[in-house]
Amino acid sequence: MSLSATDAWSRLLDRARTELSDHIVETWLVPLQAAEYSGEELVLNAPDQFSVEWNERRHSALLESYAPVALGHPVKIALRVQQERLQRSQMDLFVPQKGQEQATLEPEKQPNNVTLSSLNDRYTFDTFVIGKSNDLAAAAAMAVSQAPGKTYNPLFFYGPTGLGKTHLMQAIAQEIVRKNPQTRVTYITTEQFTNDVITSIGKGAMHDFRRRYRETDLFLVDDVHFIGGKNSTQEEFFHTFNALYEAGRQIVLTSDRPPSEISKLEARLASRFAWGMVADIGQPDLEHRIAILRRKAQMDHLEHTIPDDVLHFIADHVQSNVRELEGSIIKLLAYASLKHRVVTVDLAREALRDKIRTSEGAPMRSERQDRMGVIQQRVATEWGVTVEGLQSKTRTKTLTIPRQVAMYLAREILGLQLVEIGQAFGGRDHSTVIHSLERVAETMKESAEFRGRVERVRETVRHSS
């Protein structure tokens, strides 16, 4: 009985899944649709011309090599753009397919109630790019994966968003589960934990709640800084932490700041968070960013699509975090497909104009620097200190308060990133800036006099612009 086009393509896809990574199959092959099959040739419809050209270069020969085994005889692969999609301006290739969306909703149950639905297959040690900004954190993560509950417990990662904290946390889980599939893993955000506390209290089911969390082998909690100020959540977290720690179970936590700087965090929790290893993850330097982009290009088989000079260009201009780097690659590919152009530095400059700092943007940066100077000068005058004092490393109370106010106004008026603000005040790290912003906001609520002084400075700065 002859196969239909759909059946033939299904068999080739099944074969491809045994040879290629899930990411490549889902991103590049699943969007293709079987159109015609003659026995000698299989015609596949692609979302757009970029997909046609990409798959012809990277995957047609591979698919044809699978045919003798999957279909029993050689088959030629032909790709074309589906006619009804030629009118579309969007690139369907980067839109999750229905199968992918469902996959994220259905938890994958493993033996012993291990739930791996939240773990990303790409978040492994093999895909993590180590540099000066994260080498300590990476070394600690690897050590924990080799001896969970014994080496560093708890392991606490902190740093700005998008730099790899969650990647390292999940890499630990992936490695531990790989070695011992029976490991019971709990991976949650602080928000999920809080919601679970509230729901369990409402249902009178705290016994089940405690049993569920305290019988796990590996406890992973993202964004633990959100626990600050939530008394009931902190109480339950404290007892859960103690039960797991005393049982020798591994605990891994992430936050955007170190334990000592989490606002409204009980002292007993702050001290416990620092019992094991506290490791920070900073922003990658230029060489590290280039290495990250190269690794992503290799993983997605983009080496011949995105030239090295384009990777250097992106690394030089997109400096905020790893997510921004990866997002820039996706946006660039989508833009190249839409314009039907080869990826070059000029095309990257067009596609990423909202992200990069071009030469035309220099006056804007200069203007922001000037306005930062105005903020520092106005605050210094109001509090009777010097601008040099605000920019210094000195931490006396006479300088700390106005320095925090200046940081607060720089964030509010100029919208600067935390790292940029920290650099303008003696090279302080992002966690210090966060603490400063929160401290000023709290004091403004508590003191009408303080709020009046801040507002007075704000108005003088705005009138000067």
Side-chain angles (χ1 to χ4, degrees), residues 393-411:
K393 298 285 188 181
T394 306
R395 300 181 65 177
T396 59
K397 189 173 182 180
T398 55
L399 286 171
T400 297
I401 293 176
R403 183 184 293 129
Q404 290 175 339
V405 171
M407 289 182 180
Y408 178 87
L409 292 175
R411 179 71 164 179

Side-chain angles (χ1 to χ4, degrees), residues 354-374:
D354 60 327
K355 296 178 180 290
I356 64 176
R357 300 178 178 182
T358 61
S359 57
E360 290 81 8
M364 184 180 295
R365 293 200 303 277
S366 176
E367 179 184 344
R368 291 168 74 182
Q369 290 170 354
D370 291 343
R371 295 193 70 192
M372 171 64 86
V374 171

Side-chain angles (χ1 to χ4, degrees), residues 326-441:
E326 295 185 341
S328 297
I329 292 290
I330 293 174
K331 184 172 183 179
L332 175 58
L333 289 176
Y335 190 82
S337 172
L338 185 65
K339 298 292 185 179
H340 303 292
R341 289 166 58 187
V342 176
V343 175
T344 63
V345 170
D346 287 339
L347 184 73
R349 187 177 285 109
E350 289 178 32
L352 307 176
R353 56 185 175 274
D354 60 327
K355 296 178 180 290
I356 64 176
R357 300 178 178 182
T358 61
S359 57
E360 290 81 8
M364 184 180 295
R365 293 200 303 277
S366 176
E367 179 184 344
R368 291 168 74 182
Q369 290 170 354
D370 291 343
R371 295 193 70 192
M372 171 64 86
V374 171
I375 290 173
Q376 292 176 332
Q377 183 60 61
R378 295 289 194 274
V379 171
T381 300
E382 174 67 27
W383 265 267
V385 297
T386 65
V387 172
E388 290 74 17
L390 296 180
Q391 297 172 342
S392 71
K393 298 285 188 181
T394 306
R395 300 181 65 177
T396 59
K397 189 173 182 180
T398 55
L399 286 171
T400 297
I401 293 176
R403 183 184 293 129
Q404 290 175 339
V405 171
M407 289 182 180
Y408 178 87
L409 292 175
R411 179 71 164 179
E412 181 186 77
I413 297 173
L414 302 182
L416 295 178
Q417 295 183 3
L418 300 178
V419 173
E420 293 177 300
I421 295 173
Q423 290 173 347
F425 291 88
R428 285 170 165 78
D429 62 30
H430 79 285
S431 60
T432 300
V433 178
I434 291 174
H435 174 73
S436 299
L437 302 182
E438 292 178 344
R439 185 66 188 136
V440 171

Side-chain angles (χ1 to χ4, degrees), residues 269-289:
L269 276 176
S271 65
R272 279 165 173 75
F273 289 173
W275 273 355
M277 164 71 80
V278 177
D280 71 306
I281 299 179
Q283 286 194 307
D285 57 21
L286 177 61
E287 291 77 11
H288 193 181
R289 293 196 298 274

